[in-house]
Amino acid sequence: LFKQPESNHLGDCTICCLPLPNDGKKTMSCCSKIICIGCDYANKVREMEGKLEQKCAFCRHPASNSEEEAVTNFMKRIEVNDPVAMYLMGGMKTGKGDYDGAFEYWSKAA
């Protein structure tokens, strides 16, 4: 009756503690937390209904308005040696064709 769902290799949502789906997850650039789309949606609905400023669902930091601002947030997380932020920055570097930079970030993350 009260059986919990099996966890997977992606881990659990940091808000609702349910296993993260393969395709429905979002990474917050301010705190590098990965949350499920359901929690992100619930937060957006709450903000729209209350006419509130958009903020991170986990840490309540104001949401990034541009990709440059998101990269700045990731760089702040990288300065404090956050492995998730380093891993994601490596993915961004790969998307831009900078494979040496990506390898450097992924090596630091490991």
Side-chain angles (χ1 to χ4, degrees), residues 32-104:
S32 298
K33 297 294 182 187
I34 300 173
I35 63 171
C36 67
I37 294 297
C39 290
D40 184 48
Y41 176 75
N43 185 51
K44 289 190 186 308
V45 168
R46 181 188 63 82
E47 291 169 345
M48 286 191 301
E49 286 177 353
K51 298 179 182 162
L52 303 171
E53 178 185 7
Q54 290 186 351
K55 293 186 177 186
C56 171
F58 187 80
C59 70
R60 302 292 183 213
H61 186 272
S64 306
N65 294 327
S66 65
E67 185 177 340
E68 293 173 359
E69 193 174 337
V71 170
T72 303
N73 287 339
F74 275 126
M75 292 309 291
K76 287 179 186 177
R77 298 298 308 162
I78 289 170
E79 289 174 8
V80 295
N81 293 324
D82 183 358
V84 174
M86 289 181 196
Y87 172 77
L88 294 171
M89 185 59 74
M92 286 182 194
K93 293 284 187 180
T94 301
K96 294 179 181 175
D98 183 10
Y99 300 108
D100 293 332
F103 181 75
E104 182 181 332

